[in-house]
Amino acid sequence: MFRLLHLIFLLNTLCLVQSVLPVYTPALNKHSGFERENAVRRYFSEGFTNAEITGFLALQHGIVLSVRTLKRILQRLELTRARYNNESPLERIVAAILEELENSCGSFLGYRQLTRRLRRKYNLQVRRDTVMKALRVLDPEGVERRQRRNPKRRRYVTSGPNFLWHVNGWDKPAPLGFFVHGAVDGFSRRILWLEVGSTNKNPRVIASNYLNAILQLGGVPRRMRCDRGTQNTIIGTLQQFFRWHDDDHFSGSGSFIEAKSTGNQRIEAWWSKFRQGGGGWWINFFKDLCDCAELWNTHNIQRLQRLEVEGGKPDVMSFTPEIYGTHNYLVNVYIEDVNLCKEMYAENCVDHNEDIEELVRLIKPDYSPPLNEREALELFSEIIQFLKLDHLI
């Protein structure tokens, strides 16, 4: 029965050839000519501070503004941050929190992440303090469960953004037929891609993720780390190909690291965070994986001075590294080479089981692919019910 969960992939017509994070921030589409006010509005809605917004405008868009000028623009656009005197009605805040607790992943989120989710998803003006007090009343068990966590810290240092990418798959939902694959930048902890499919062992599927990330960012990292396994053979070859003619210390074969997963600590640590933050729930609604990546990339990570680990928001650390006294290590590549590699390794990469497609058509010949994940789940339930009545499972 669990293999029928592949239906959700099939019916939503998911194809990993298109896998890459959506352009949720102007920094990923800086050459499209964002107007100043529109860029300010987008960065503000993502929760960046005034200083961070001016950094994005200067370093990514070539728009130099003082913080004072930015404040005047925000005032003219009627964009204000949550304070005691301008919070949204308490009834709307409580209703949104209850919606997240009952029908989403809210019970897995701390008050900081939930506050940001309420601001982005429900467009609410709400303070952290209000959410924290509400959670103590509405979800005391969840608060107690999160307080018991006591993670052990390990020392990790890297030079700057795009110096080292960590690539790995998450196999915990494998018994249900789900496989998740992702990549994280070692310095900024920014999520580069996060995809769910019926496999994370197909080298062409993983190569598709990698190549689409390169097309979006315009270059490759200085180095990339993966686990040992046949699923990483193609991306290892591609990484070395793109870096073969460079003359730095890590060019060529030195640009790809293949080692035990226990040493791939950045992505392994993020899988733990992902599961604590409701990864099991998000798998049921694949669209929310993009929301998960966006929320992570715009949340604040605490600086660990004792371990010499920089803190900040992953997007800020990745796109404006000058603030942290470093630079972007992304190595530019020829787009023609990337497109050629896509044609050779990632085209016609179908990620579904054709036998299941045939089964669905036998049971329901007139079915049409659903338009959203809820319709897909309804059709999935209908197929399961039919098989139960027919004593096939």
Side-chain angles (χ1 to χ4, degrees):
M1 182 184 75
F2 290 132
R3 284 186 59 80
L4 289 176
L5 288 169
H6 288 289
L7 285 171
I8 300 177
F9 301 105
L10 168 66
L11 300 177
N12 276 295
T13 61
L14 292 177
C15 181
L16 291 184
V17 174
Q18 303 298 327
S19 61
V20 70
L21 286 185
V23 182
Y24 61 90
T25 176
L28 286 173
N29 201 17
K30 56 187 177 182
H31 300 299
S32 63
F34 270 95
E35 294 183 358
R36 185 180 67 174
E37 282 71 17
N38 290 336
V40 168
R41 191 185 300 275
R42 289 284 297 277
Y43 286 126
F44 182 88
S45 67
E46 292 168 14
F48 294 114
T49 65
N50 292 345
E52 291 168 345
I53 294 175
T54 56
F56 272 113
L57 293 175
L59 298 174
Q60 292 294 312
H61 304 279
I63 302 174
V64 180
L65 294 178
S66 65
V67 174
R68 181 178 296 181
T69 302
L70 177 63
K71 288 181 178 179
R72 288 198 295 267
I73 295 175
L74 293 175
Q75 186 176 8
R76 186 171 71 250
L77 297 176
E78 299 182 352
L79 298 176
T80 58
R81 303 185 189 274
R83 293 184 174 83
Y84 283 99
N85 59 352
N86 68 343
E87 274 195 302
S88 300
L90 185 59
E91 294 80 4
R92 288 185 58 198
I93 296 174
V94 172
I97 293 176
L98 288 174
E99 173 68 19
E100 289 296 307
L101 292 175
E102 295 173 0
N103 301 316
S104 187
C105 56
S107 60
F108 293 92
L109 303 179
Y111 73 93
R112 292 182 179 88
Q113 291 188 54
L114 185 56
T115 300
R116 296 177 56 253
R117 191 172 181 88
L118 294 178
R119 290 172 179 173
R120 290 172 64 93
K121 184 175 179 179
Y122 298 92
N123 197 27
L124 293 173
Q125 291 279 52
V126 57
R127 296 179 300 114
R128 287 181 180 177
D129 187 60
T130 302
V131 176
M132 179 176 63
K133 292 177 179 178
L135 283 177
R136 288 175 178 172
V137 176
L138 300 173
D139 188 28
E141 294 181 357
V143 172
E144 182 181 357
R145 182 177 65 251
R146 288 187 293 272
Q147 288 176 342
R148 288 198 298 264
R149 296 174 187 162
N150 185 24
K152 296 181 180 179
R153 304 292 184 183
R154 298 171 63 185
R155 188 172 183 270
Y156 177 98
V157 177
T158 189
S159 302
N162 298 308
F163 183 84
L164 179 61
W165 286 4
H166 296 265
V167 179
N168 196 11
W170 190 47
D171 295 335
K172 291 297 185 292
L176 301 178
F178 296 126
F179 297 86
V180 184
H181 196 266
V184 173
D185 174 53
F187 177 79
S188 66
R189 284 85 98 194
R190 181 176 184 271
I191 298 172
L192 302 164
W193 69 77
L194 184 63
E195 296 298 327
V196 62
S198 63
T199 179
N200 59 12
K201 305 300 183 184
N202 186 334
R204 292 180 177 270
V205 171
I206 297 174
S208 175
N209 298 337
Y210 170 73
L211 292 170
N212 279 301
I214 293 175
L215 287 174
Q216 186 178 68
L217 296 175
V220 297
R222 290 291 175 94
R223 309 188 80 187
M224 182 171 65
R225 179 168 186 142
C226 301
D227 299 345
R228 295 191 180 99
T230 57
Q231 69 272 19
N232 297 318
T233 53
I234 294 181
I235 60 172
T237 302
L238 292 175
Q239 171 70 12
Q240 295 174 65
F241 165 72
F242 289 127
R243 297 274 285 119
W244 195 260
H245 295 290
D246 297 326
D247 56 1
D248 59 273
H249 182 66
F250 298 111
S251 61
S253 59
S255 65
F256 181 67
I257 307 171
E258 194 175 29
K260 293 182 179 180
S261 61
T262 53
N264 208 0
Q265 60 194 78
R266 268 291 186 257
I267 185 70
E268 293 290 350
W270 194 85
W271 290 135
S272 175
K273 292 287 186 182
F274 177 62
R275 184 166 188 173
Q276 293 172 4
W281 189 94
W282 271 312
I283 288 172
N284 293 327
F285 294 91
F286 307 123
K287 185 185 67 174
D288 284 344
L289 281 175
C290 296
D291 296 336
C292 171
E294 293 172 24
L295 286 171
W296 173 268
N297 287 343
T298 55
H299 96 295
N300 194 62
I301 300 175
Q302 184 178 2
R303 183 174 187 267
L304 300 177
Q305 186 171 359
R306 178 175 60 86
L307 300 178
E308 301 179 13
V309 177
E310 289 289 349
K313 297 175 181 176
D315 270 351
V316 177
M317 299 175 70
S318 180
F319 293 118
T320 59
E322 292 82 358
I323 297 176
Y324 298 88
T326 183
H327 64 276
N328 194 338
Y329 284 85
L330 194 74
V331 180
N332 293 328
V333 296
Y334 292 107
I335 301 301
E336 293 81 5
D337 290 343
V338 180
N339 289 327
L340 179 62
C341 290
K342 281 176 65 67
E343 293 177 4
M344 294 174 61
Y345 295 108
E347 291 296 334
N348 301 318
C349 184
V350 180
D351 183 41
H352 69 267
N353 191 314
E354 295 181 356
D355 294 336
I356 294 179
E357 181 178 7
E358 183 179 356
L359 173 63
V360 175
R361 294 192 179 278
L362 286 174
I363 295 174
K364 192 175 181 180
D366 59 341
Y367 99 94
S368 58
L371 299 177
N372 53 58
E373 73 282 355
R374 292 191 181 277
E375 292 184 9
L377 286 173
E378 290 175 1
L379 182 56
F380 167 71
S381 300
E382 184 179 344
I383 299 297
I384 290 293
Q385 187 64 26
F386 176 87
L387 294 177
K388 284 182 177 179
L389 293 175
D390 209 29
H391 303 288
L392 295 180
I393 58 174

